[in-house]
Amino acid sequence: MRRREPERRRRRERGRPRLPLRRSLLGRLLIVSVLVASCAVAATAWLAVQTTSGAIRQEQGQDLSSDAKIYNTLLGYAATHPRWEDVEDTARELARTSQRRIVLTTEDRRPLFDSAGASSVAPLPAQASAVVDPLSVDTVLVPDAMTAGSDRIDPRAVGPFLLPANERTELRAITEKQVACLNSVGVAADVVDGPSGRPRIEFVRGDTDRDLEFKCVAQNSGATLTEKKALDELNTLADACLKRQGHKGATLNLDLSWDRGYGQITAAEKQSAEKQSAEKYPSEKYPSEKYPAEKKAAAVERGDDRAIASCVGSARREQLTDHVAAPALLFIDGTGAVSVPGFDLSPSNTARIVGVTALVLALTVGVSVIAGARLVRPLHALTGAAQRMRDGLDSAPVPVGPDNEIGRLAAAFNDMAVHRARLEEQRKVMVSDVAHELRTPLSNIRGWLEAAQDGLADPDPAFVSSLLEEAVQLQHIIDDLQDLGAADVGALRLHPEPVYADELLGQVAAAYQGPAETAGVTLSVATPKPGPPGPTLYADPVRLRQAVSNLVSNAVRHTPSGGRVTLRSYRTGPGHGDEVALEVSDTGAGIPADDIPHVFDRFWRAEKSRNRSTGGSGLGLAIVLKLAEAQGGTASVVSTEGKGSVFTLRLPPAPAEAPADATAAEAAAGPDGPDPINMTL
């Protein structure tokens, strides 16, 4: 039979359908590997594209720099010339140096200049590269430093502020004297002409002595006649704008700041002030309970400043309109397509990319197959062992590989197989124990009944009492098995309520006082000294009394004559779980250390002969453990061979009881509860 069994097993395995590749672990590993390889190829392609795009962007950046230079030059021309008639020389020089085609047209696309000549028939793009307008500078092509504040007016557009030669000469003489004074005291400075021709002092070093600077530049050159005339005209235009908006007028200074009685705000500072105002006061509506009146006034002044700034910008555009060129459309065209070295997707390069991709995929699949086979092999061994276990056959331990997921799975499977074999052995022993426990009373009952039937025994009261005792013993075993079965499936009916621990222990002690006296054992309840009442726990009083009764019955049975069995209760305290402990200690023979882990097992008895004079059915302590666990508690034992044992039930306290209601017994026991050694003496 043993030789035929492997053959039958192989036939069953051959008859079992194989998993589809898409559902097997190897297939999934292949799919993941192909996806990973595809992602790697895609990432490589993306990196190549990004690198190439970077080169293209660099080339485009160079073109953008060239475009900005062209735009800025033409913008300066428009800011200093009222018309475009003489722009040809400037634009042609820009086209020659940049190697680009430059086309200027009016806003309605009438040609002004084309560097390709009048014979060019190349169509212009639908969208212009930029609009050359000195009164509305494109801040993308020209840095913000090139613009005057936030009005986007080219600072080179000065219009009527352009100084004549005599005024320039007079102002330059004054400025050169100031620079000479600064140089004489060790302050490096120079004279620089502004767009309007007004000279100004430029310090070579940023750190200067303010006192020396003030002494040298104390003579301030005021506005010239030309500047006063232009400034009055600008002031008139700005006041008209403010009046239309319902604001008071403002007196403009030469640097285009204005004076409203609370200080001057320059054009450069205006934008920063507006930003800070918007951040600090995000709304024009200020609740009186949050902002005081002076903040409201400041907000009104800031609103006036914004209106003044807007009107000054509008007035400047109106004043400069006749002095600058009209807006023109700028078209800048390259000489050819941008070429990046090394980026040529020719047929040979395409074939090379495809070949590399195929090689990467092939290597990925090959490595995945090898790795997948090594991964699946122990899984097949586990599957075979599980199937043999299902068929009830003895399964040899699965080989445990290295310390990885599969190795740990194999070790866990071997542990499970050993545990299952142990449980099966326990099940067989339990069935044998149950059969033995039930057979004994049934055999006695049958023997007495057959003797009565044969006339060998008279059905007197002693006869009936003997049969009743055996029936009661049989009923106890059946009830115990029923309780254990209900506890195992969670069907044990419980009715928890607050229970006085000392009162329950007194009831159990009273019930077993007679058997204890018969056995010559002193049974008592350790009561605390006069003080607060004992602890109250939350449990089913019937089931709890049953558990304590089993412990007391077991203690009386294993305590020799002259011994003592003591019951006590105490609170463990918050640091030890805050539970109520019920303790049954005896001065019996104790339990050997090797047997302590099995005392709560079913049908386990320290005395293996199963003599009724030395032990019961072996279910009492198992029922104690199950009843304690069903009520949220635990059961434990501490025993010293030759001195006695201490069985302890720990259960949750009643919700209404405060931790301070500890008994005197708890205080005497110390913070760690009763001393097991002292309790067993």
Side-chain angles (χ1 to χ4, degrees):
M1 288 298 292
R2 292 184 178 179
R3 295 179 180 178
R4 295 179 181 178
E5 186 59 36
E7 181 64 26
R8 288 200 298 267
R9 185 166 60 251
R10 285 193 294 270
R11 289 177 182 176
R12 285 196 302 270
E13 293 176 356
R14 285 197 300 268
R16 188 177 296 108
R18 296 178 60 87
L19 283 174
L21 184 61
R22 61 182 177 85
R23 295 178 56 188
S24 65
L25 183 61
L26 179 59
R28 295 179 182 180
L29 182 62
L30 286 176
I31 293 174
V32 172
S33 301
V34 171
L35 288 177
V36 171
S38 302
C39 292
V41 173
T44 304
W46 176 83
L47 182 60
V49 170
Q50 289 296 108
T51 305
T52 306
S53 300
I56 294 175
R57 283 195 296 270
Q58 183 178 3
E59 190 74 16
Q60 291 175 344
Q62 296 175 357
D63 292 343
L64 182 61
S65 176
S66 176
D67 293 349
K69 180 180 179 182
I70 295 172
Y71 173 79
N72 189 40
T73 303
L74 294 176
L75 187 67
Y77 180 89
T80 55
H81 295 78
R83 286 173 296 277
W84 292 101
E85 280 80 358
D86 299 329
V87 75
E88 181 176 352
D89 294 339
T90 302
R92 194 173 301 282
E93 178 64 20
L94 289 173
R96 185 188 64 81
T97 56
S98 64
Q99 298 296 317
R100 311 285 292 279
R101 179 191 177 191
I102 300 176
V103 180
L104 277 172
T105 69
T106 61
E107 290 186 308
D108 55 359
R109 296 207 172 210
R110 287 186 292 106
L112 296 174
F113 171 79
D114 189 348
S115 63
S119 60
S120 175
V121 294
L124 295 176
Q127 185 175 1
S129 301
V131 178
V132 182
D133 184 4
L135 303 183
S136 180
V137 177
D138 188 345
T139 57
V140 175
L141 294 175
V142 177
D144 292 339
M146 297 293 294
T147 63
S150 60
D151 51 13
R152 296 175 59 190
I153 298 177
D154 194 304
R156 293 169 290 188
V158 295
F161 286 89
L162 184 65
L163 299 178
N166 58 339
E167 293 180 352
R168 293 187 184 186
T169 302
E170 181 182 352
L171 292 175
R172 188 171 186 86
I174 296 175
T175 307
E176 287 179 349
K177 290 182 180 179
Q178 294 174 346
V179 170
C181 175
L182 291 172
N183 292 334
S184 64
V185 295
V187 178
D190 200 359
V191 180
V192 178
D193 290 331
S196 66
R198 169 177 277 274
R200 60 182 176 84
I201 300 175
E202 183 176 287
F203 294 94
V204 178
R205 295 191 303 271
D207 51 340
T208 61
D209 190 336
R210 295 295 182 184
D211 295 335
L212 296 177
E213 178 185 346
F214 179 76
K215 292 178 181 179
C216 291
V217 299
Q219 181 183 0
N220 185 14
S221 57
T224 66
L225 293 177
T226 301
E227 291 173 335
K228 289 180 179 179
K229 181 180 179 180
L231 189 60
D232 291 341
E233 179 186 357
L234 180 62
N235 213 141
T236 301
L237 295 174
D239 287 346
C241 174
L242 290 172
K243 185 176 181 181
R244 288 193 298 270
Q245 297 182 11
H247 293 276
K248 296 180 181 180
T251 302
L252 297 180
N253 301 305
L254 189 58
D255 59 354
L256 299 185
S257 63
W258 53 87
D259 191 358
R260 298 190 64 255
Y262 55 85
Q264 293 184 348
I265 300 178
T266 64
E269 297 171 339
K270 174 171 58 63
Q271 187 176 11
S272 175
E274 291 177 354
K275 181 179 179 182
Q276 294 177 0
S277 174
E279 292 176 351
K280 191 171 183 180
Y281 306 99
S283 174
E284 290 296 336
K285 298 179 181 179
Y286 301 97
S288 58
E289 67 273 11
K290 187 174 182 181
Y291 296 94
E294 56 269 17
K295 289 190 177 180
K296 291 185 179 180
V300 173
E301 291 180 353
R302 278 189 293 273
D304 292 344
D305 291 337
R306 288 194 287 267
I308 294 172
S310 176
C311 286
V312 169
S314 301
R316 288 192 65 199
R317 292 186 181 89
E318 184 177 354
Q319 186 185 42
L320 294 174
T321 300
D322 296 335
H323 299 274
V324 299
L329 301 182
L330 173 63
F331 297 89
I332 304 176
D333 191 11
T335 57
V338 178
S339 62
V340 180
F343 189 73
D344 182 16
L345 286 179
S346 61
S348 60
N349 286 340
T350 303
R352 187 180 298 110
I353 293 175
V354 173
V356 172
T357 303
L359 178 61
V360 170
L361 290 176
L363 290 176
T364 302
V365 171
V367 173
S368 300
V369 169
I370 297 175
R374 294 175 60 87
L375 179 64
V376 171
R377 190 179 300 115
L379 295 180
H380 286 166
L382 286 171
T383 303
Q387 291 171 348
R388 289 191 296 273
M389 186 182 297
R390 181 199 62 184
D391 296 338
L393 303 175
D394 292 336
S395 176
V398 177
V400 178
D403 186 16
N404 52 28
E405 288 80 358
I406 302 299
R408 295 182 181 182
L409 177 61
F413 181 86
N414 290 336
D415 293 341
M416 181 192 68
V418 173
H419 183 66
R420 178 181 176 275
R422 184 167 60 250
L423 290 179
E424 181 64 19
E425 184 64 27
Q426 291 178 356
R427 185 187 66 82
K428 293 178 180 179
V429 173
M430 178 179 175
V431 171
S432 176
D433 291 341
V434 170
H436 178 82
E437 293 296 334
L438 295 179
R439 184 185 300 112
T440 301
L442 286 176
S443 298
N444 291 337
I445 294 174
R446 178 181 176 182
W448 283 107
L449 291 177
E450 288 179 350
Q453 186 179 17
D454 294 338
L456 300 177
D458 295 331
D460 53 8
F463 175 82
V464 175
S465 177
S466 176
L467 293 180
L468 180 59
E469 181 182 354
E470 296 296 337
V472 169
Q473 180 67 24
L474 184 61
Q475 183 65 41
H476 284 171
I477 296 175
I478 295 174
D479 291 342
D480 290 345
L481 291 174
Q482 185 177 7
D483 290 341
L484 288 174
D488 287 338
V489 300
L492 197 63
R493 294 184 178 180
L494 298 174
H495 302 282
E497 61 183 51
V499 178
Y500 292 103
D502 291 342
E503 182 179 344
L504 184 138
L505 295 180
Q507 294 173 358
V508 175
Y512 281 87
Q513 196 65 43
E517 292 178 355
T518 303
V521 176
T522 301
L523 177 60
S524 63
V525 178
T527 57
K529 297 179 181 179
T536 305
L537 50 84
Y538 192 69
D540 186 326
V542 177
R543 293 296 184 180
L544 182 58
R545 191 180 298 111
Q546 179 184 358
V548 177
S549 297
N550 286 354
L551 293 178
V552 173
S553 175
N554 186 71
V556 170
R557 185 184 306 115
H558 292 86
T559 301
S561 178
R564 176 180 293 274
V565 175
T566 305
L567 285 66
R568 67 181 303 183
S569 65
Y570 58 90
R571 284 290 291 271
T572 60
H576 301 273
D578 193 16
E579 297 173 323
V580 176
L582 303 181
E583 197 173 81
V584 178
S585 60
D586 62 68
T587 58
I591 304 172
D594 296 338
D595 293 340
I596 288 180
H598 305 287
V599 295
F600 292 104
D601 293 345
R602 301 176 186 183
F603 296 106
W604 183 89
R605 285 167 43 171
E607 205 281 317
K608 306 301 181 183
S609 65
R610 294 195 174 272
N611 188 346
R612 292 201 182 277
S613 62
T614 59
S617 61
L619 297 175
L621 294 180
I623 292 176
V624 169
L625 177 62
K626 287 296 181 181
L627 290 178
E629 292 176 348
Q631 300 183 83
T634 59
S636 61
V637 59
V638 176
S639 181
T640 303
E641 192 172 6
K643 293 184 178 181
S645 304
V646 179
F647 286 85
T648 306
L649 296 178
R650 287 182 172 85
L651 297 167
E657 184 181 11
D661 293 339
T663 62
E666 176 187 356
D672 297 329
D675 188 352
I677 299 178
N678 294 337
M679 292 299 297
T680 57
L681 293 178

